[in-house]
Amino acid sequence: MPRKRIIPDAQVFAIIQRLLDDGGDKAVSFGSVATATGLAPPTLVQRYGSRDAMVRAARLAFWDDLDSRTGEAIAATVGKGPQGLLKAIGPVKAADIAADLRDPDLAQRAASWRATVEAALAERLGSGGKARESAGLLFAAWQGLAFWSAAGPSDLRLKDAVKRLT
């Protein structure tokens, strides 16, 4: 009798994210995840219930990880400027976030993360309405650069945006 294969959810979610990155939403099925993980499709059905629930669980794990990374970056860059904070957070695929905006719970996670990042940027830019406005513009420039990077390099650099907004 073969031994049951056990893979933690985090590993399954990483594989789902890779499949999403490589082939988009249509690349994720119980069959494709089963092939990539070595788990049987019925095991995945038993764990997650449906394909959409499996993908949603993976995306919620993504947001948990991003929130954690962001908190660590905020703490590690106290006293540094806005560009240092954004570099510490690291690259965030704007296309992943855009896909999540169709789900109300994931959209709320995205909005909460954005508010956290903008508040941390505003602290680094000063105080008052001008700092909050500049933080919002800088966040939009950062995510815009991330989104459009797939179309090729841009002449705009994050450090240039920071200079113009401060």
Side-chain angles (χ1 to χ4, degrees):
M1 171 186 273
R3 184 173 68 88
K4 288 186 178 181
R5 185 170 165 110
I6 299 172
I7 295 177
D9 282 338
Q11 189 175 346
V12 174
F13 297 156
I15 289 168
I16 291 169
Q17 188 58 52
R18 183 179 46 80
L19 290 169
L20 288 168
D21 290 345
D22 293 346
D25 193 55
K26 294 182 191 274
V28 178
S29 66
F30 284 128
S32 65
V33 175
T35 299
T37 62
L39 295 172
T43 301
L44 295 168
V45 172
Q46 187 177 27
R47 250 193 220 191
Y48 304 111
S50 70
R51 178 229 174 258
D52 289 341
M54 179 177 65
V55 171
R56 189 169 190 276
R59 294 307 299 157
L60 285 168
F62 162 83
W63 284 107
D64 290 343
D65 179 62
L66 184 57
D67 286 342
S68 176
R69 258 186 19 225
T70 300
E72 291 168 6
I74 290 169
T77 59
V78 170
K80 294 187 178 178
Q83 188 176 355
L85 170 63
L86 297 178
K87 282 184 176 183
I89 292 171
V92 179
K93 293 181 182 174
D96 286 345
I97 294 171
D100 285 351
L101 297 179
R102 294 177 293 214
D103 178 305
D105 293 331
L106 296 176
Q108 180 56 44
R109 294 291 301 268
S112 176
W113 173 74
R114 176 184 175 178
T116 298
V117 174
E118 285 185 5
L121 287 169
E123 285 178 14
R124 287 158 171 77
L125 293 169
S127 61
K130 173 99 168 105
R132 285 190 303 275
E133 180 182 329
S134 293
L137 290 169
L138 185 55
F139 181 89
W142 176 53
Q143 284 301 287
L145 285 169
F147 180 79
W148 286 105
S149 67
S154 169
D155 290 339
L156 178 65
R157 301 285 176 249
L158 193 56
K159 67 180 181 178
D160 297 333
V162 170
K163 286 179 187 175
R164 289 180 182 160
L165 293 170
T166 57

